[in-house]
Each structure stands twice: as structure tokens, then as C-alpha cells.
Amino acid sequence: MTGRRADGYHELESVFLPLDPEGPLADDVKLALRTRPGVEFSLRGATAGVPADRRNLAVRAAEAFLARVQPLIGVAITLEKRVPAGAGLGGGSSDAGAVLRGLNAYHFGAISRTDLEALALGLGADVPFFIDPEPALVRGIGELREPLANPPSLPLIVAHPGPPLATADVFRAFATSGAALTPPGKLARLLPLPPVPGAHRAELWAERVINDLEPTATALCPAIAPLLARLRRVGARAVGMSGSGPAVYGVFDDETQRDQAFARLRLAPPVRAWATSTMV
């Protein structure tokens, strides 16, 4: 965190790395236009804690788009959830971004990229990123993005301790914690990462991993700390918390070492883990 605005939003400086869209942590969003107005919504998969009605961000995105472009046309959305709710992994925001992107394609680019991002920002601070998710240095409240040069493709284990953690609760606790803010530009000065392979890539990433929200989130969800320690014990070169948590990740030298570590994790429910990688 680099500051807080008068409207209560926190200014941030963060690296956003999308996960493999073919991996286990990728929701599946299907759209079908209808002749009658309104949004029909079907939810499947990892539905715990996910709204199945108009509160769902995917539905809100469709309603906002159709109200702007074609209120007499409707859409049926089928959402297969794989990203757990309240994890700090951007699952809901990515669903909303996919809906906006898909509907705009259906309507032959009826909304310009600038206006589409403004529509996305009205849904959530990180939704604009998912209009076209590419590795980026993100500033502001999430609306200012700068593509990363030489983005790393990092083999990861992503793990979730079980209970969800509301983003608003984490930011509220952080605001009252008295935690020091990170000086603006500190992260930017550490980037971009040199295009080096294997262990050197992971070691360089380890030097740059920091999440100002991690102590606050850990106070709210103490299971975060032992899960990070577990990832280190099985060989992660770097560990950290994703977003506002409580999902965490471990970075490995290569896919082989990641898969071997994943086999050694032996986590007991409600803890879950996935072997994946970042997208370049």
C-alpha cells in the first residue's frame, strides 16, 4: 500500500500476474445471447460462498453492459467456478472481466476500450485488469496499469487455508493497524525482472516478494502463517500471499520440482492446493 484516498480507497503498487487459463484455477464462463431481455445465470462447481443471484459480479457486469448497449437483448451466463470465493485470487473480478470482454465481442466492439474499462472500474477496482489480463505493474486503485517487460512464467503451488477472507475486512483492519506504507515507486524500481532461467528466476522473484496486507490478513486468519511455512519446507524458493488473502503461493525452480513438492504437501481439509503457473 502506498497511500489512502479521501474516498477511502487505498492506493497500491502491485504486480498482477494472471494464472494459466488452462490450469486448475481458471473459471469457465460461457455466454449465450437471448432475444428476451435480462440475465439468466447458472452457477456450477466450487460454489461455496459464491452468490448465485444478481449479487454475482458476472451478472452485474452483464446487466451494466446490456443497459449501456442493448437493453432489449438478454444473455444466459453459465459459470463453472474453480477459483474459491474470498481467496484474494481475483476470481469474481476475472469472471466480470470475461463477461464484459465476451459481450463486447458479441456486439462487434460496441464499447470502446476506454469506455469498457470505465464500466469495469464501476464494478470493482481490479475488474479493468481482467478486460485483457496480461502481466502488469498496477497502480492507483487498480486502474493504472503498465505492461511488464520480460514477465516471468513461474511454476507455482497455490494453497488456500480453508476459511474465506473478505477483502473489505482486510483493508479495514489494515487502515486501523498503523502499519507503515510502502514508499511509492519502490516496487517499480525492482522491475522488470531479467529474463533468466530456472533457479535464478525464482531467486530474483524471492527478493521482490512483499505484500503489505500479509500481517493484517494473518492476524485475521492465523492459518496463513503455517501454510506459508509448509510451502517453504517442501522447497519453494519464494512464498507470499495473493492479494488480500488468504490464498498463498510458493514459487519453484521448474515444473518438475513444483510437482514433486505438490506430491509431498499432504494437506488435510479444509486446506486445498493447486499446481499451476503464471501466464506470460
Side-chain angles (χ1 to χ4, degrees):
M1 298 295 114
T2 61
R4 192 179 187 188
R5 306 191 324 185
D7 60 7
Y9 277 101
H10 288 79
E11 296 275 356
L12 57 86
E13 187 173 73
S14 180
V15 171
F16 280 20
L17 297 176
L19 296 177
D20 178 6
E22 302 299 325
L25 281 173
D27 291 346
D28 185 25
V29 182
K30 290 184 172 65
L31 306 176
L33 294 183
R34 307 186 309 172
T35 55
R36 61 183 185 276
V39 179
E40 180 182 309
F41 183 57
S42 176
L43 179 65
R44 304 170 184 169
T47 60
V50 181
D53 52 23
R54 293 184 62 189
R55 294 172 298 160
N56 192 286
L57 208 54
V59 178
R60 291 169 53 199
E63 290 179 338
F65 183 94
L66 294 174
R68 171 78 176 269
V69 173
Q70 182 54 274
L72 299 181
I73 295 295
V75 64
I77 303 173
T78 301
L79 174 57
E80 180 82 23
K81 284 296 294 181
R82 300 186 183 100
V83 181
L89 292 168
S93 295
S94 67
D95 298 338
V99 167
L100 292 176
R101 186 169 67 247
L103 286 176
N104 208 34
Y106 267 134
H107 287 82
F108 304 101
I111 300 182
S112 70
R113 174 63 179 263
T114 299
D115 289 344
L116 194 65
E117 290 199 4
L119 191 65
L121 187 59
L123 296 166
D126 56 352
V127 177
F129 171 78
F130 291 103
I131 295 295
D132 185 16
E134 296 180 347
L137 176 64
V138 179
R139 298 187 179 93
I141 61 172
E143 81 283 14
L144 304 175
R145 300 181 306 286
E146 178 183 330
L148 286 179
N150 302 316
S153 176
L154 299 170
L156 303 176
I157 291 177
V158 177
H160 191 297
L165 198 53
T167 298
D169 292 344
V170 177
F171 275 94
R172 191 178 300 113
F174 178 84
T176 60
S177 68
L181 297 172
T182 297
K186 179 179 179 180
L187 181 58
R189 289 191 293 272
L190 297 174
L191 298 171
L193 288 174
V196 295
H200 296 294
R201 175 182 57 188
E203 287 169 355
L204 286 169
W205 188 254
E207 295 172 358
R208 290 159 170 79
V209 169
I210 185 171
N211 187 332
D212 291 340
L213 293 175
E214 189 176 307
T216 299
T218 301
L220 296 173
C221 179
I224 290 172
L227 193 50
L228 288 168
R230 179 63 182 158
L231 287 171
R232 283 198 185 278
R233 285 198 298 272
V234 296
R237 291 273 185 171
V239 299
M241 187 182 78
S242 176
S244 58
V248 299
Y249 60 87
V251 184
F252 293 84
D253 292 344
D254 53 45
E255 287 78 7
T256 299
Q257 291 193 19
R258 177 202 62 197
D259 294 344
Q260 290 172 346
F262 188 78
R264 296 195 304 271
L265 270 176
R266 297 184 179 88
L267 301 172
V271 184
R272 291 165 290 168
W274 303 265
T276 185
S277 60
T278 58
M279 183 180 75
V280 295

